[in-house]
Amino acid sequence: MSTTTANDLYPEVTAFLEGGPLKGVVGGNEVEANSGETFVTSDPGTGKQLAEVFSFQPADIDMAVDVADAAFRKTGWAQMPQNERSALLHRLADAVEKHKPIIAQLEALDAGKIEAQAQGDVQNFVDTIRYFADLAQHVQRRSVLAVANHEAWTVRQPYGACGFIFPWNFPFLLIGWGIAPALAAGNTVVIKPAEDTPMSAIYLARLAKEVGIPDGVINIVPGLGSVAGAALSANPKLKRMSFTGSPEVGRLVAESCGRNLVPVKLELGGKGAAVVFNDVDIPDTAEKLVNAITFHTGQVCCDATRWLIHKNIYDEFVGECVDRLKKVKVGYQLNDASQMGPVVNKKQHQRVLSYLEKGQDQGAECLLEGGIAEVPGYNGYYVKPALLAGTLDNVAAREEIFGPVAYLAPFETEDQAIAMTNSTDYGLANSVWTSDLSRASRVAEAMCAGNSWINAHNVFAHGVPYAGINKSGMGGGVLSVETLFDYWRSLSVVRPL
């Protein structure tokens, strides 16, 4: 089906949107907020309301955690043989894949994401569920210890009810990254989706019910972050907590978890650098970095938003990038011709525009003027790609903008490039671009971050740990066997001989 207009929706999507206020899913049942309060989710491409959603309050959150805790103890999910639990997770993956066009369209409408990109996100969810479902069957959970005069071993056991707060930029994909290892390890989950993008999470819970995931294993609690999110992170019955979002909110979540001594995993954004040496294929590298900064309208925490370019190719590289960015087609996310959709809401729209203004006020050179993008027939939150340049003490070079804006600066030496890369409080992901692979490895290893990529950016392979350090996060990463271990507690058993 070709989706070219706002009215050209799948019947299942239309039925979902017209089914009355959307409810949370707790214990396998669709439930309203006890207070009856609701909030509205809107289409960022049109500014119009998509759906009304029940807004869970602290009492609703506490009830959901109680249900998840009971499900862990009573449904048999935690004690289920691993092959049986993995089989159920594969059924969930199959159901999601079957409904991929529907979920992707919901995701595109809710997040302003280009529909083809949303389909990629849904497939990534499927692949992540399958990866951890298979991995859990091959990991040895019991390890014998060689200790003199003792019989000793360790065994890994699931924790219990785990809380998750997800952001609005990759709602469905990040749910997969978060809950797949937790579920595969035998835990139950309570998911608080972002208030801007709750629809795909609710749809997922309905599919989980259909495929036979025990009631209470997957629970969805929509609501405002300041209310529902705060209540979830403060609940003492949780055994683990995971938050993806801003450093400011991450600190609040960490404080709440710290008071309850609940282990917390934080992924908090970044200000990544792309270091481009003078031996690259300039057109090819420019094309890849332009694609990176415009992907999902630059609303990607690990994106390369600081481009450090060797001075000998700086002018030519800038010219290549400007030419390409001028040709990017900004448009409604369900229109096939659109290459870049809107940002997620009015607040984010104003944020991007304000950073362009503040950056230039502090002396940044405007290499490509951004600003408001006009999309005929659509009154949404559209912006044009922008390039700024100057010294790295500029606010636009230091702070996360979360839009299609890159900040450029030249360098002369390898050591200077490394120092410039590491001159940030963040530490999520950087990349190095060069045909000299020895230099590439050397520079990549010198970068102070959780992830370094060579001749590419935004690379996520199942089996490779992905995590941040410093202001970009703490508590472990995602996508690898270490993530699975994060959701098992270790128990040692000893018998003196």
Side-chain angles (χ1 to χ4, degrees):
M1 174 179 175
S2 175
T3 52
T4 56
T5 73
N7 297 319
D8 191 8
L9 302 179
Y10 291 102
E12 296 89 342
V13 171
T14 300
F16 183 88
L17 296 175
E18 295 178 350
L22 296 175
K23 302 174 182 178
V25 180
V26 178
N29 300 311
E30 295 189 34
V31 297
E32 303 177 2
N34 281 328
S35 66
E37 292 184 49
T38 62
F39 63 93
V40 169
T41 180
S42 300
D43 179 348
T46 64
K48 296 179 181 179
Q49 177 176 325
L50 283 172
E52 189 178 6
V53 186
F54 280 103
S55 185
F56 277 34
Q57 303 300 303
D60 303 307
I61 301 299
D62 292 344
M63 178 269 294
V65 175
D66 286 345
V67 168
D69 177 63
F72 176 78
R73 291 182 288 106
K74 298 178 180 180
T75 63
W77 177 256
Q79 297 77 30
M80 189 178 295
Q82 188 62 59
N83 63 323
E84 295 181 18
R85 189 162 56 235
S86 292
L88 282 172
L89 291 174
H90 272 289
R91 286 185 200 170
L92 179 60
D94 291 343
V96 169
E97 192 164 44
K98 178 181 177 181
H99 293 83
K100 180 165 70 172
I102 299 165
I103 299 172
Q105 198 168 78
L106 287 171
E107 194 85 333
L109 288 169
D110 223 7
K113 192 182 292 279
I114 296 296
E115 192 168 12
Q117 295 175 6
Q119 290 190 14
D121 289 359
V122 177
Q123 187 60 51
N124 189 287
F125 174 99
V126 170
D127 296 342
T128 302
I129 294 288
R130 289 176 175 158
Y131 170 77
F132 282 106
D134 291 340
L135 182 65
Q137 296 185 75
H138 296 95
V139 171
Q140 179 59 253
R141 293 173 61 178
R142 184 183 300 270
S143 301
V144 175
L145 303 176
V147 181
N149 302 317
H150 294 80
E151 180 185 19
W153 67 93
T154 62
V155 61
R156 297 185 178 97
Q157 303 282 16
Y159 277 91
C162 302
F164 294 86
I165 300 175
F166 293 110
W168 44 255
N169 58 335
F170 289 88
F172 202 69
L173 179 149
L174 291 177
I175 287 177
W177 286 14
I179 72 170
L183 293 174
N187 301 281
T188 58
V189 301
V190 181
I191 300 167
K192 208 298 282 185
E195 52 260 41
D196 287 296
T197 55
M199 298 198 301
S200 59
I202 295 171
Y203 199 91
L204 171 67
R206 295 181 181 182
L207 293 180
K209 174 80 170 179
E210 292 178 9
V211 302
I213 301 290
D215 292 344
V217 170
I218 298 177
N219 305 278
I220 309 297
V221 289
L224 304 183
S226 59
V227 179
L232 182 60
S233 63
N235 191 289
K237 287 189 178 180
L238 289 178
K239 301 305 180 185
R240 284 198 67 90
M241 184 70 208
S242 175
F243 170 81
T244 305
S246 70
E248 294 74 23
V249 179
R251 290 189 180 98
L252 299 177
V253 172
E255 289 171 7
S256 292
C257 293
R259 284 191 291 271
N260 293 325
L261 299 180
V262 173
V264 61
K265 180 183 302 223
L266 303 175
E267 197 275 274
L268 305 177
K271 194 68 179 176
V275 176
V276 182
F277 285 93
N278 60 348
D279 59 351
V280 299
D281 181 321
I282 294 177
D284 179 68
T285 304
E287 179 75 14
K288 289 175 179 175
L289 286 180
V290 163
N291 289 342
I293 200 64
T294 56
F295 179 72
H296 193 30
T297 319
Q299 298 167 118
V300 183
C301 56
C302 55
D303 216 343
T305 54
R306 295 179 299 150
W307 295 356
L308 311 179
I309 315 301
H310 194 279
K311 69 170 188 175
N312 291 351
I313 62 168
Y314 182 84
D315 290 340
E316 183 180 355
F317 191 85
V318 168
E320 291 281 353
C321 292
V322 168
D323 288 346
R324 284 165 171 75
L325 287 168
K326 285 181 177 179
K327 297 174 183 176
V328 172
K329 295 179 180 178
V330 180
Y332 187 61
Q333 63 267 28
L334 297 190
N335 287 348
D336 292 337
S338 299
Q339 296 174 305
M340 195 175 81
V343 294
V344 73
N345 56 30
K346 183 178 181 180
K347 179 181 179 181
Q348 189 62 25
H349 191 251
Q350 293 174 337
R351 176 184 176 90
V352 174
L353 298 177
S354 70
Y355 269 103
L356 293 175
E357 182 178 347
K358 289 187 292 186
Q360 292 178 78
D361 286 345
Q362 291 189 8
E365 177 187 2
C366 184
L367 301 175
L368 177 65
E369 185 177 3
I372 298 173
E374 300 292 341
V375 178
Y378 296 94
N379 188 27
Y381 308 116
Y382 299 96
V383 294
K384 294 182 288 187
L387 295 179
L388 300 177
T391 58
L392 296 185
D393 58 352
N394 188 284
V395 64
R398 290 184 290 105
E399 298 183 8
E400 189 174 36
I401 299 173
F402 230 56
V405 182
Y407 194 97
L408 282 70
F411 71 88
E412 295 187 36
T413 68
E414 182 178 308
D415 288 344
Q416 183 186 19
I418 293 169
M420 292 169 71
T421 298
N422 294 339
S423 64
T424 175
D425 294 333
Y426 290 97
L428 187 52
N430 302 301
S431 58
V432 55
W433 302 76
T434 176
S435 59
D436 183 339
L437 295 185
S438 295
R439 175 167 61 187
S441 298
R442 185 170 61 247
V443 173
E445 292 182 8
M447 291 174 165
C448 187
N451 312 274
S452 289
W453 296 311
I454 294 175
N455 293 332
H457 205 94
N458 296 335
V459 181
F460 308 103
H462 292 93
V464 178
Y466 170 79
I469 63 171
N470 302 333
K471 196 176 176 180
S472 290
M474 55 174 272
V478 295
L479 296 181
S480 71
V481 66
E482 287 89 350
T483 316
L484 188 63
F485 291 162
D486 286 345
Y487 287 98
W488 279 321
R489 59 181 176 83
S490 181
L491 169 68
S492 63
V493 182
V494 182
R495 182 178 71 89
L497 299 177

